[in-house]
Amino acid sequence: MKSWSIGIIALAGLAAIVGAAYSSPEVLLAAAALSAVGVGVGWPHFLGIPAKKTLAALIALPGVGSAVTATYLPAPGFLDWTPSFLAAGVIAIFVMQLLRGTGQAQRLESTLGSCAGVMLSCLGAGWIACSRFNGVREMLLVAAISAAVALLAGLIRWPDRIVAPLGIVGAGLAGPLAGLVFSDIAVLPAALVGVVVGAVLVSFRRMVTLRAETLNLAAALGIGLGPVSAVGSLAYFIDKLLIF
């Protein structure tokens, strides 16, 4: 698939999460769980590592568990179980690599890359926490608009040295604008969210452009939904640190 298709997948995943956040907790849980499954299925394909089906399950399941607990745990500990699911996923991957035996191809790359996939899968629960935090979805909307601007900038087929600053600056400006129009969030926290979100997303774009070979649909799902998943937890923690 072409690189712009990955941006379309990311935008579609982002739109699904935002729409689900304004629907019901169960719908948001379903959207976050499906995103975790998409990351799990696609991440091994993006990395090009063996044992893709097994690793897909080990990456996706912790993310689904994190989403479930973030939905039903009482405030303020929405993400209290997320580190446990992250640790369980990492341990499961190490055990799986040990069971593969010595001399297997790409064991180191598979282990490190899959652990990163588990982290991305689990971070998607941050969207749920951000939506439930004080019953206000203002930061969720600000983060989503900033992410959308950065993703749209990533669709431009220009060199990274141009698109990366454009995406970061655009997201940094979109955050305060969204905060002023749609919420009461102060300019500084909204700008910080925009800049951080933009930096994360353009970094993942660089990962795509560095790959010479064409990606299949599964790989595009992984690299498209992965950064969107990470943005949710970023927005949640910045919301807690800078606003309340």
Side-chain angles (χ1 to χ4, degrees):
M1 298 185 70
K2 296 181 179 179
S3 58
W4 62 265
S5 301
I6 299 171
I8 297 298
I9 291 173
L11 284 169
L14 181 65
I17 289 175
V18 174
Y22 284 88
S23 178
S24 68
E26 291 74 20
V27 175
L28 180 56
L29 170 59
L34 288 174
S35 178
V37 171
V39 174
V41 171
W43 196 250
H45 285 270
F46 176 74
L47 297 178
I49 52 181
K52 293 180 175 59
K53 293 181 180 179
T54 303
L55 289 173
L58 297 180
I59 293 172
L61 288 176
V64 174
S66 297
V68 171
T69 54
T71 301
Y72 295 109
L73 282 176
F78 307 121
L79 300 183
D80 280 358
W81 279 85
T82 297
S84 299
F85 281 108
L86 177 58
V90 170
I91 292 171
I93 286 172
F94 272 88
V95 171
M96 179 263 188
Q97 295 297 336
L98 290 174
L99 292 177
R100 288 181 65 201
T102 58
Q104 296 295 322
Q106 296 181 297
R107 289 186 71 188
L108 179 60
E109 297 88 341
S110 180
T111 302
L112 296 179
S114 298
C115 289
V118 171
M119 181 181 69
L120 291 175
S121 177
C122 290
L123 289 178
W127 286 111
I128 299 174
C130 196
S131 176
R132 294 184 63 196
F133 188 51
N134 286 336
V136 178
R137 300 181 179 88
E138 294 177 343
M139 181 56 78
L140 182 145
L141 190 59
V142 169
I145 292 174
S146 300
V149 171
L151 290 171
L152 288 171
L155 296 178
I156 303 174
R157 302 182 67 178
W158 290 348
D160 288 329
R161 65 179 181 274
I162 299 175
V163 173
L166 181 64
I168 295 173
V169 172
L173 294 175
L177 181 60
L180 291 172
V181 174
F182 298 107
S183 71
D184 296 326
I185 296 176
V187 171
L188 181 58
L192 179 60
V193 170
V195 170
V196 172
V197 167
V200 169
L201 294 177
V202 298
S203 298
F204 276 86
R205 182 186 188 271
R206 180 58 177 167
M207 291 176 61
V208 176
T209 57
L210 285 174
R211 290 184 61 114
E213 64 270 20
T214 303
L215 302 177
N216 58 21
L217 177 58
L221 280 174
I223 193 61
L225 296 177
V228 172
S229 179
V231 165
S233 288
L234 285 173
Y236 172 63
F237 286 118
I238 293 175
D239 198 0
K240 290 190 68 175
L241 289 172
L242 296 183
I243 296 181
F244 295 97

